[in-house]
Amino acid sequence: RYLAAKRALFDQKYAFLNEKQREAVYTTMGPLLVLAGAGTGKTTLLVNRIAYILKYGNAYYSEAVPAGLSEETVCEMENAKNLSAEDLDMYLEGFADRSEIVAPWNVLAITFTNKAANEMKSRLEKTVGEGAKELWCGTIHSMCLRILRRYASEIEYQSNFTIYDMDDV
């Protein structure tokens, strides 16, 4: 009953997503492929998945049950359907699987256009807060450039190298 009540509370928080989107948000172990057409909520899904992983780890699918759990606590969880969004967030923080929470700098979110990257960054800042600045989020080109600059010395380059368009050379 505890696990069902915990999952129902997470489903309440993410009720604005459909069942498949919620499944993607809660799936934190291993890679995940999201295939969907334009305007179907991919950015919303990715932003919420990243925020979920940063905040809760693998809380939804965790089978851990606290030692000494009382019947009263389980009943309270089952009846916690009318909590405000703020109170629900505080409640859910207690379920966080600390061993599975990821540091923001270990997240890489790549998109193809500057417009999409800026939209994702903006939404992540609203959802995640200050931690969003430590996320690796951008276009495929900007992320590759960031990696190359960070490890330039490994390939005997200086980090302030310049990239030229061969058509302009």
Side-chain angles (χ1 to χ4, degrees):
R1 285 182 41 221
Y2 168 82
L3 295 176
K6 173 185 75 168
R7 290 176 182 146
L9 289 169
F10 276 108
D11 288 340
Q12 180 180 330
K13 176 176 176 63
Y14 293 99
F16 62 94
L17 300 172
N18 67 38
E19 185 179 340
K20 285 292 186 185
Q21 289 172 320
R22 284 193 306 272
E23 182 181 339
V25 166
Y26 302 147
T27 301
T28 62
M29 310 305 272
L32 177 72
L33 177 63
V34 176
L35 295 174
T40 57
K42 290 181 301 296
T43 302
T44 298
L45 170 110
L46 292 172
V47 165
N48 280 282
R49 183 168 192 256
I50 291 167
Y52 176 86
I53 291 169
L54 295 174
K55 194 168 188 175
Y56 304 115
N58 190 33
Y60 187 86
Y61 289 119
S62 173
E63 295 287 326
V65 177
L69 182 67
S70 70
E71 176 70 21
E72 182 181 330
T73 300
V74 174
C75 287
E76 180 184 302
M77 289 170 59
E78 291 171 334
N79 294 319
K81 292 180 174 82
N82 296 321
L83 293 174
S84 68
E86 234 176 68
D87 288 340
L88 182 58
D89 281 343
M90 288 180 14
Y91 209 100
L92 293 176
E93 284 178 23
F95 302 126
D97 184 347
R98 304 278 178 229
S99 67
E100 297 294 334
I101 290 179
V102 174
W105 55 87
N106 287 323
V107 174
L108 174 63
I110 296 179
T111 187
F112 292 97
T113 67
N114 285 322
K115 181 180 177 185
N118 290 334
E119 179 65 25
M120 190 178 305
K121 285 180 198 175
S122 172
R123 290 193 202 182
L124 281 165
E125 286 173 6
K126 288 178 188 170
T127 307
V128 175
E130 282 298 310
K133 291 184 171 122
E134 297 180 57
L135 295 166
W136 284 57
C137 179
T139 64
I140 184 84
H141 301 98
S142 69
M143 290 295 97
C144 288
L145 181 59
R146 185 173 173 182
I147 292 166
L148 285 170
R149 288 201 190 285
R150 170 151 308 167
Y151 297 102
S153 64
E154 300 289 326
I155 55 173
E156 299 179 12
Y157 277 76
Q158 292 182 353
S159 63
N160 64 345
F161 63 84
T162 303
I163 297 176
Y164 294 99
D165 183 338
M166 292 305 291
D167 292 335
D168 295 336
V169 176

